[in-house]
Amino acid sequence: MNKAARPGRHALAAAALLAAGLMAGCSQSATPAGAGHVEAWQADVAARFTFPPVGLEDFALERRQPGSLELVIYIGADGTLERLAAERVDGLDPEAIETLFGAIRHARFAPAIVDGKPVASIKRIALDFDPLADRFVTTARLP
């Protein structure tokens, strides 16, 4: 195999890992949801991506040092992105976090459902970046 073809496979693998984690990755939080947002574990159907973020695999592959964070996505009852936050940040500078947020802003969401009605919610996704592995891993934690 030609070495030039390998980065494409790594990017594809990274994208597949990201997609799997983003579609499932939510966790319970001890912090209050606030302002009418429910945590994913409180919803009958958690909010989900209808169009996944574009550019996250490039972001992960550009990392030169390991890093991790918990991405907190506030999603409105109509599926709009209301706010982004990063918690438990390790090894990523503010500029890198803003680049990551830029990728997330291109995503589209379906709202969480409680008692058959769409509700505002919070989606939490733990992301770990490891440049030595030439990929990144999304960790889904279930309550």
Side-chain angles (χ1 to χ4, degrees):
M1 280 244 163
N2 155 344
K3 286 192 178 194
R6 296 190 80 203
R9 274 193 270 155
H10 291 298
L12 185 57
L17 286 170
L18 172 69
L22 291 178
M23 296 301 185
C26 299
S27 66
Q28 180 174 347
S29 169
T31 59
H37 288 75
V38 299
E39 293 278 355
W41 61 271
Q42 296 171 312
D44 299 330
V45 177
R48 64 193 183 286
F49 287 89
T50 56
F51 181 79
V54 174
L56 286 181
E57 59 276 2
D58 293 334
F59 174 83
L61 293 172
E62 290 170 1
R63 298 298 100 213
R64 299 291 177 240
Q65 63 180 354
S68 64
L69 63 85
E70 182 175 274
L71 186 62
V72 184
I73 307 169
Y74 292 79
I75 303 165
D78 59 356
T80 58
L81 173 66
E82 292 183 345
R83 186 167 65 110
L84 289 169
E87 296 179 354
R88 298 181 187 89
V89 178
D90 182 33
L92 297 170
D93 58 41
E95 183 178 310
I97 294 169
E98 189 53 43
T99 301
L100 178 63
F101 284 0
I104 298 295
R105 286 185 187 106
H106 294 298
R108 298 293 172 258
F109 305 90
I113 305 294
V114 173
D115 295 329
K117 297 177 184 164
V119 296
S121 65
I122 299 172
K123 184 172 192 71
R124 296 175 182 273
I125 304 166
L127 298 174
D128 297 305
F129 303 97
D130 184 354
L132 298 176
D134 200 19
R135 63 178 174 80
F136 66 105
V137 178
T138 305
T139 308
R141 293 185 307 248
L142 301 175

